[in-house]
Amino acid sequence: MPHAPLIIDIAGAALTAEDRRRIAHPLTGGVILFTRNWQSRQQIAALTAAIRVIRPDALIAIDHEGGRVQRFREGGFTPLPPMRALGRLWEEDALQALAAATACGYVLAAELRACGIDLSFTPVLDLDWGRSAVIGDRALHPQPQAAAQLAKSLLHGLLLAGMKGCGKHFPGHGYTQADSHTHLPQDGRPLAELLQADAAPYGWLGLALPAVMPAHVIYPQVDERPAGFSPYWLQDVLRGLLGFDGAIVSDDLGMAAARQMQGRQLTHAEAACAALNAGCDLALLCNQCLDGGAALDAALEGLQAARGVHWQPRPASEARRRALLPAFDAPDWAALMAQPAYQQALSLVEKLAARRG
């Protein structure tokens, strides 16, 4: 089973000849969509269908969490509240919060799947320390126990709609203040403290967590490399100590700050190799198709040249990628709107959104 580890993006609302060539590349395993790819719900469904004509097994993914990270907000998509709303409800009524979390996951996933999207990079498992502007209200709760239980219910909702989820950003991004899109954050706490707090949900969630995205953060008391490039974090801690056996998906390797390692700037291909060698199963490369896509072509060519030399394809990684694909077909949009389960979940989501003050 050939290992196709790269998740790439496309520039516009329809596939170009260059997009088709890149999607057909043997190392491309998936496509991530952004707001720039949106014109209408019908257009998104046509776009995902066009991707599947080229690669029937492509994993079509998106960052769609709710709140300020929700790529599609029009055409009938439900405006989802930020996940902090679930944490606030937890403080008043934990059981009601768990039900609302399941409903949020179900509505989120069912609407995306009705348009041909397989995976959302959610939930955020970072703790709300009140320090990170880039995380902020994306976090479920300051306490790891509450965050884990809310995340488990959210993942259950996703699964009811046939979608897997991805916990992020391991071992935790909520304590750092720098934005990893522009700087490389550092978290100076020791391993024991990180395992007791930020990383704890990853172990507690167990089999409920299908995928994990590591943080573009350095924890200097543990390893000088960012977590997503660290065999210690990914293999010794995440897989070994915490027993995680799902897919590990790198955070965006297009971020310039993320490719700063040991005093030099890695190319995109070098960064992908480093992530895969550290233990990632999939390497995410965003926003490199813009301005003609020369950077994305160089990454594909460089990763192909490095195959078998600087990184070794792994059948287990390809199996984990395929395991993220939905196990059953989704209803179309009209059929979904008529489903009692969807209407019930939507009512809970709307009540949660109305509580925000």
Side-chain angles (χ1 to χ4, degrees), residues 305-329:
R307 179 175 179 161
V309 180
H310 298 297
W311 73 278
Q312 297 296 328
R314 297 188 298 269
S317 290
E318 179 62 15
R320 292 185 183 113
R321 182 188 74 83
R322 291 174 180 266
L324 295 178
L325 293 165
F328 57 84
D329 292 336

Side-chain angles (χ1 to χ4, degrees), residues 65 82-106 122-128 137-158 201 204-205 208-209 352:
E65 304 166 6
M83 292 299 99
R84 178 183 283 167
L86 291 168
R88 287 177 173 166
L89 180 56
W90 171 276
E91 296 298 326
E92 301 175 18
D93 188 330
L95 292 179
Q96 187 180 351
L98 294 175
T102 302
C104 284
Y106 183 80
T122 189
V124 170
L125 296 179
D126 303 317
L127 301 184
D128 185 6
D137 63 2
R138 298 166 64 194
L140 287 159
H141 200 275
Q143 298 300 320
Q145 297 90 342
Q149 292 189 63
L150 288 167
K152 188 171 185 179
S153 290
L154 186 72
L155 287 161
H156 183 213
L158 295 175
W204 292 335
L205 285 169
L209 190 60
L352 178 68

Side-chain angles (χ1 to χ4, degrees), residues 262-277:
Q262 298 176 329
R264 65 180 291 260
Q265 184 83 27
L266 302 182
T267 68
H268 296 103
E270 289 172 336
C273 286
L276 295 170
N277 287 334

Side-chain angles (χ1 to χ4, degrees), residues 48-114:
T48 58
I51 292 170
R52 295 204 192 285
V53 168
I54 303 166
R55 290 291 295 275
D57 67 333
L59 181 68
I60 302 177
I62 195 169
D63 280 315
H64 199 87
E65 304 166 6
R68 57 195 160 98
V69 183
Q70 180 172 341
R71 303 304 186 201
F72 306 154
R73 300 173 181 272
E74 301 172 346
F77 274 90
T78 302
L80 298 164
M83 292 299 99
R84 178 183 283 167
L86 291 168
R88 287 177 173 166
L89 180 56
W90 171 276
E91 296 298 326
E92 301 175 18
D93 188 330
L95 292 179
Q96 187 180 351
L98 294 175
T102 302
C104 284
Y106 183 80
V107 169
L108 183 160
E111 292 178 354
L112 290 174
R113 289 217 58 220

Side-chain angles (χ1 to χ4, degrees), residues 192-345:
E193 187 174 340
L194 290 160
L195 291 174
Q196 186 175 13
D198 299 65
Y202 294 90
W204 292 335
L205 285 169
L207 293 174
L209 190 60
V212 165
M213 179 177 287
H216 285 326
V217 176
I218 295 175
Y219 306 85
Q221 290 208 51
V222 182
D223 194 335
E224 64 180 1
R225 290 162 292 193
F229 296 128
S230 167
Y232 181 78
W233 273 118
L234 301 185
Q235 298 181 40
D236 294 2
V237 178
L238 182 59
R239 293 220 186 274
L241 184 62
L242 300 181
F244 178 71
D245 193 39
I248 302 177
V249 186
S250 83
D251 203 346
D252 177 18
L253 300 177
M255 302 179 196
R259 289 182 281 112
Q260 295 174 11
M261 192 163 57
Q262 298 176 329
R264 65 180 291 260
Q265 184 83 27
L266 302 182
T267 68
H268 296 103
E270 289 172 336
C273 286
L276 295 170
N277 287 334
C280 288
D281 301 294
L282 294 163
L284 181 60
L285 192 57
C286 303
N287 301 317
Q288 303 309 305
C289 65
L290 306 176
D291 300 322
L296 182 51
D297 287 333
L300 285 164
E301 292 167 8
L303 193 59
Q304 179 72 22
R307 179 175 179 161
V309 180
H310 298 297
W311 73 278
Q312 297 296 328
R314 297 188 298 269
S317 290
E318 179 62 15
R320 292 185 183 113
R321 182 188 74 83
R322 291 174 180 266
L324 295 178
L325 293 165
F328 57 84
D329 292 336
D332 64 22
W333 191 271
L336 175 65
M337 295 298 106
Q339 285 187 349
Y342 172 79
Q343 291 297 330
Q344 182 181 1

